[in-house]
Amino acid sequence: MGLFSNKISRDELKAGDHIYSWRSYIYSHHGIYVGDGKVIHFNRRGGLEIGTGTYLDNIIQISVPRHGDNPCPNCGDQSILDGVISSCLDCFLAGGSLYLFQYDVSKAILVAKQRGGTCTTAPSDPPEEVVHRAKCLLWSNGFGEYHLLDNNCEDFAIYCKTGLLVFSVTKSGSSSQVNAVCAAGGVASLALRYLGVGRTAGQAASLAVSPATVVSAATRAVTMTLGLVTTGFAAVAVAGYSNYCIGRVAYDVGVRKDVRKVPVEELATLMAVRNILDNTNSDKNK
């Protein structure tokens, strides 16, 4: 595992590892390896990682593999499951490669990793504590409702590793994939929220959004996220990329000031209360 790749072999896996597999260039699915070939992870029912009910759902590949008429002999058909689930490593990877999320990296390493969703400056707790959190959340299904921007699979894995949650009026998630997009200027974040993604999921069904509009927004988001701003002016491009790097560090869960250590025994109650408040606020805004 080097500077540019976190890829590892299965023989290197240890209980308590935060692992992930890329589903596309800008999206990866995350989970906690708990030993005995099992991974605990967080997903949306049917593998709809976005869940807008629009063409955007087809851009991100599913997190839970569909086995058709041949379900996994170990896991069965998991496409109908929702929330925190346990899968064998093969089902979790869904044919992708295995990568290890890095903790306690320097800010220089964080910036060097151009793609979000690979590392954080936050330190990890001991493996036994990580596995305990993951299993508790599996038994209680206590990580709330899945939301791509605010409460996703990476947020789940980071919480299991650190016990940290982000509390903010503007962003409640700790996902570095999402934060990398926000650091790139917020284009994807704003576009996805306009489509109804986030803590007000469900509103998207009432939006008449064309596939062309969605693809255009996604293309711009990818371009900005990768720092490939082709303005024709080198100085502007360099300045933009510098802001992107600074933003990624500022958004990182290991640096942010709006984080709090939450015991796993209290998390389910906290998530339930937060969902009630979010739904109440959503109803008021209708």
Side-chain angles (χ1 to χ4, degrees):
M1 186 171 65
L3 176 61
F4 298 106
S5 175
N6 292 0
K7 191 173 182 179
I8 63 170
S9 68
R10 298 188 182 209
D11 294 339
E12 298 176 84
L13 272 178
K14 300 182 295 294
D17 280 348
H18 172 173
I19 59 176
Y20 62 96
S21 181
W22 289 102
R23 299 296 197 255
S24 66
Y25 189 83
I26 61 170
Y27 175 78
S28 55
H29 187 57
H30 296 246
I32 298 296
Y33 183 72
V34 295
D36 297 325
K38 294 292 185 180
V39 183
I40 295 177
H41 54 119
F42 185 51
N43 76 289
R44 184 178 179 87
R45 179 169 41 244
L48 291 177
E49 291 291 337
I50 296 180
T52 63
T54 70
Y55 182 81
L56 191 58
D57 288 332
N58 296 324
I59 296 178
I60 305 296
Q61 296 183 29
I62 64 172
S63 64
V64 178
R66 296 176 183 274
H67 300 286
D69 296 330
N70 299 302
C72 173
N74 297 316
C75 305
D77 181 9
Q78 296 193 320
S79 64
I80 61 174
L81 300 181
D82 196 26
V84 182
I85 66 174
S86 175
S87 304
C88 69
L89 185 58
D90 286 331
C91 284
F92 172 80
L93 294 175
S97 297
L98 174 64
Y99 296 85
L100 179 68
F101 195 96
Q102 293 178 287
Y103 284 82
D104 204 17
V105 303
S106 67
K107 293 179 181 179
I109 294 295
L110 178 68
V111 171
K113 300 278 191 178
Q114 288 195 356
R115 287 195 286 184
T118 62
C119 61
T120 177
T121 62
S124 170
D125 288 329
E128 59 272 15
E129 191 170 346
V130 175
V131 172
H132 171 69
R133 289 193 188 109
K135 289 184 176 181
C136 283
L137 294 176
L138 173 64
W139 296 330
S140 65
N141 200 9
F143 203 67
E145 297 179 5
Y146 186 102
H147 296 282
L148 179 67
L149 297 182
D150 298 322
N151 199 46
N152 60 36
C153 57
E154 188 183 348
D155 292 316
F156 168 79
I158 289 176
Y159 171 75
C160 289
K161 289 287 286 186
T162 66
L164 297 175
L165 283 183
V166 175
F167 292 85
S168 171
V169 295
T170 57
K171 179 159 193 330
S172 57
S174 56
S175 168
S176 55
Q177 297 182 85
V178 173
N179 291 335
V181 173
C182 293
V187 172
S189 179
L190 291 175
L192 292 175
R193 290 189 187 281
Y194 175 75
L195 293 173
V197 184
R199 306 210 69 81
T200 55
Q203 295 179 5
S206 64
L207 297 176
V209 182
S210 70
T213 301
V214 175
V215 171
S216 176
T219 300
R220 282 182 289 139
V222 172
T223 301
M224 294 189 72
T225 301
L226 299 179
L228 304 177
V229 183
T230 54
T231 62
F233 298 93
V236 175
V238 170
Y241 186 69
S242 296
N243 289 334
Y244 166 69
C245 293
I246 293 171
R248 281 191 61 198
V249 173
Y251 276 117
D252 183 66
V253 68
V255 176
R256 298 176 65 147
K257 303 300 182 184
D258 54 353
V259 296
R260 181 161 66 90
K261 198 95 167 180
V262 178
V264 68
E265 292 79 12
E266 300 175 10
L267 186 62
T269 301
L270 176 63
M271 287 291 189
V273 171
R274 191 169 74 174
N275 285 333
I276 291 173
L277 292 176
D278 288 335
N279 291 333
T280 300
N281 292 332
S282 177
D283 291 339
K284 288 181 179 179
N285 293 329
K286 288 181 179 179

